[in-house]
């Protein structure tokens, strides 16, 4: 599946591209699923950002787990 809105991400960030395309594909038929995919997209963006800027990704994952449990 392709989308002009997310294809530019495919070369460097294939997961982001896939999540964006899938969210876009179901936005009108299943908005809840689209929202879930966009949440995953946003989480992946944060993980990429933190990883590229020297943050310890394992600390971030522990924090994410703790926040999920709240």
């Amino acid at each position: 599946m392709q989308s002009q809105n997310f294809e530019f991400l495919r070369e460097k960030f294939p997961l982001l591209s896939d999540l964006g395309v899938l969210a876009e594909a179901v936005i009108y038929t299943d908005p809840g699923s689209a929202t879930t995919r966009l949440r995953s997209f946003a989480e992946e963006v944060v993980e990429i950002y933190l990883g590229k800027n020297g943050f310890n990704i394992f600390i971030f994952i522990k924090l994410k787990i703790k926040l999920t449990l709240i």
Side-chain angles (χ1 to χ4, degrees), residues 38-50:
L38 290 173
R39 177 182 175 195
S40 297
F41 182 96
E43 289 174 353
E44 184 67 17
V45 167
V46 170
E47 287 184 28
I48 290 169
Y49 175 81
L50 292 177

Side-chain angles (χ1 to χ4, degrees), residues 6-69:
F6 296 97
E7 275 308 304
F8 73 96
L9 294 170
R10 186 157 309 281
E11 186 178 325
K12 288 188 177 183
F13 308 105
L15 179 57
L16 288 179
S17 179
D18 290 344
L19 289 169
V21 168
L22 291 170
E24 188 177 49
V26 298
I27 188 70
Y28 296 112
T29 58
D30 189 359
S33 177
T35 303
T36 301
R37 293 172 199 276
L38 290 173
R39 177 182 175 195
S40 297
F41 182 96
E43 289 174 353
E44 184 67 17
V45 167
V46 170
E47 287 184 28
I48 290 169
Y49 175 81
L50 292 177
K52 289 195 181 282
N53 288 291
F55 289 91
N56 186 332
I57 198 68
F58 296 109
I59 292 172
F60 173 71
I61 290 171
K62 285 181 186 178
L63 176 62
K64 190 166 113 174
I65 291 170
K66 287 180 183 178
L67 290 175
T68 303
L69 296 175

